[in-house]
């Protein structure tokens, strides 16, 4: 039997309260490495339940222009996978409850070494990973390393994921499943809540993990619409855009607080 971790505990708490999860994404180092941990604490104070911390990468292929620019800004600040782990360790000095997921790409993990990465992630206080470009067919070795350290491995599913792949991913995934509501990149297109509902219902035939919906969430109303038939909403481009446009770190925290609070209120309405 797998041991519970913060992700499992948080979803169990939300389920018991009849509430939806608010998962927030920012890029580590965007706006300055020294400002990332204060931003993480601000996300929690404003109502987020889980934090996805983006690991900056030079070729973030699944991202739209907003998050691509966030990766570029973070890399210019010297952000790296090692820096991300250090930031999580710093975050844990004050917050031992909020789940933190590292969301990134396979190359930095391969460069560090999968076993070394899994050890470092556990030591830093990471709860799970989402490796965007790691296909299910190649995920087995990392999956085992993470599971041995009580870390969750979160996978993406999309509107075009076939039943064969849904079944394969469901057999590997832990923590929750991230359902990509749109064809395309982050921040793209217009949401169709009915198609989201239909696909989530279909996925539930393969997995009893929580289902969180991301890509294309612009405000509280869209977050509420897509999470109605799921277990939560993932908000990223909206926050990364606000950080990029802010005149300084204080203004970034203020705007992030405003956006997250509005979405939290909508989800709880």
């Amino acid at each position: 039997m797998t041991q519970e971790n913060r992700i499992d505990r948080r979803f169990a708490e939300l389920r018991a309260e009849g509430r939806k999860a608010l998962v927030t994404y920012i890029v580590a180092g965007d706006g300055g490495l020294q400002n990332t941990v204060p931003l993480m604490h601000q996300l929690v104070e404003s109502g987020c339940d889980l934090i996805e911390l983006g690991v900056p990468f030079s070729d973030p292929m699944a991202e739209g222009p907003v998050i691509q620019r966030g990766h570029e800004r973070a890399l210019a600040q010297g952000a790296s996978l090692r820096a991300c782990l250090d930031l999580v360790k710093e975050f844990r000095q004050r917050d031992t409850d909020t789940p933190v997921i590292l969301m990134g790409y396979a190359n930095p993990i391969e460069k560090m070494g999968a076993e070394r990465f899994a050890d470092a992630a556990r030591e830093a206080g990471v709860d799970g990973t989402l490796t965007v470009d790691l296909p299910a067919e190649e995920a087995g070795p990392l999956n085992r390393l993470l599971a041995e350290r009580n870390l969750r491995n979160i996978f993406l599913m999309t509107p075009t994921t076939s039943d064969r792949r849904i079944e394969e991913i469901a057999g590997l995934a832990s923590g929750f499943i991230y359902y990509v509501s749109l064809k395309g990149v982050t921040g793209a297109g217009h949401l169709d809540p009915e198609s989201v509902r239909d696909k989530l219902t279909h996925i539930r035939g393969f997995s009893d993990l929580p289902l969180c919906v991301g890509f294309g969430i612009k405000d509280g109303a869209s977050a509420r619409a897509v999470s109605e038939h799921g277990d939560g909403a993932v908000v990223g481009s909206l926050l990364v855009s606000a950080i990029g446009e802010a005149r300084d770190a204080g203004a970034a925290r203020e705007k992030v607080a405003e956006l997250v609070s509005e979405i939290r209120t909508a989800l709880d309405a």
Side-chain angles (χ1 to χ4, degrees):
M1 183 176 177
T2 56
Q3 185 182 356
E4 184 186 64
N5 84 349
R6 292 184 189 92
I7 297 171
D8 306 329
R9 188 163 63 241
R10 181 55 50 91
F11 277 107
E13 291 166 354
L14 289 164
R15 195 175 301 116
E17 295 166 4
R19 298 170 68 230
K20 304 293 185 179
L22 175 52
V23 185
T24 55
Y25 171 94
I26 60 172
V27 183
D30 187 15
L33 283 165
Q34 73 280 11
N35 298 316
T36 298
V37 171
L39 265 173
M40 293 170 72
H41 288 307
Q42 184 64 67
L43 291 169
V44 176
E45 290 164 15
S46 302
C48 102
D49 298 297
L50 301 92
I51 295 173
E52 283 184 354
L53 190 62
V55 180
F57 185 54
S58 56
D59 187 22
M61 64 189 80
E63 316 298 352
V66 168
I67 293 182
Q68 282 187 16
R69 287 193 289 269
H71 279 248
E72 290 166 3
R73 290 192 299 266
L75 290 169
Q77 293 286 329
S80 64
L81 176 54
R82 174 55 63 186
C84 289
L85 294 166
D86 289 342
L87 291 170
V88 176
K89 191 177 291 188
E90 183 184 343
F91 176 75
R92 287 285 173 236
Q93 292 173 11
R94 266 183 54 194
D95 189 322
T96 58
D97 294 323
T98 304
V100 176
I101 297 129
L102 292 186
M103 183 171 180
Y105 292 82
N107 184 276
I109 295 174
E110 291 174 0
K111 186 176 179 182
M112 178 179 283
E115 186 163 6
R116 187 173 165 215
F117 164 73
D119 283 336
R122 179 184 61 181
E123 183 186 348
V126 171
D127 302 288
T129 66
L130 197 170
T131 310
V132 177
D133 57 345
L134 183 65
E137 294 85 352
E138 299 174 17
L142 180 60
N143 223 42
R144 285 190 294 275
L145 290 168
L146 295 173
E148 288 166 2
R149 290 153 180 80
N150 194 34
L151 301 178
R152 302 297 176 251
N153 202 8
I154 295 140
F155 286 80
L156 299 169
M157 291 187 188
T158 75
T160 58
T161 303
S162 68
D163 283 0
R164 181 187 66 78
R165 289 192 66 75
I166 291 174
E167 186 172 17
E168 189 171 12
I169 291 168
L172 290 166
S174 54
F176 67 95
I177 289 169
Y178 185 144
Y179 178 66
V180 175
S181 61
L182 305 164
K183 298 175 185 177
V185 295
T186 50
H190 299 284
L191 288 170
D192 179 358
E194 286 189 19
S195 69
V196 171
R197 176 199 64 202
D198 293 345
K199 191 70 174 186
L200 292 181
T201 301
H202 187 67
I203 293 169
R204 287 200 194 282
F206 295 83
S207 175
D208 58 3
L209 286 174
L211 303 177
C212 293
V213 183
F215 284 47
I217 294 173
K218 308 291 187 187
D219 52 24
S222 54
R224 183 174 170 82
V226 299
S227 66
E228 185 176 352
H229 299 281
D231 299 286
V234 185
V235 182
S237 294
L238 185 69
L239 303 178
V240 176
S241 177
I243 293 166
E245 293 170 4
R247 67 183 180 276
D248 56 36
R253 286 196 300 276
E254 285 179 19
K255 187 61 179 176
V256 161
E258 177 189 326
L259 293 169
V260 173
S261 296
E262 190 264 332
I263 295 171
R264 175 80 272 164
T265 299
L267 287 177
D268 290 344

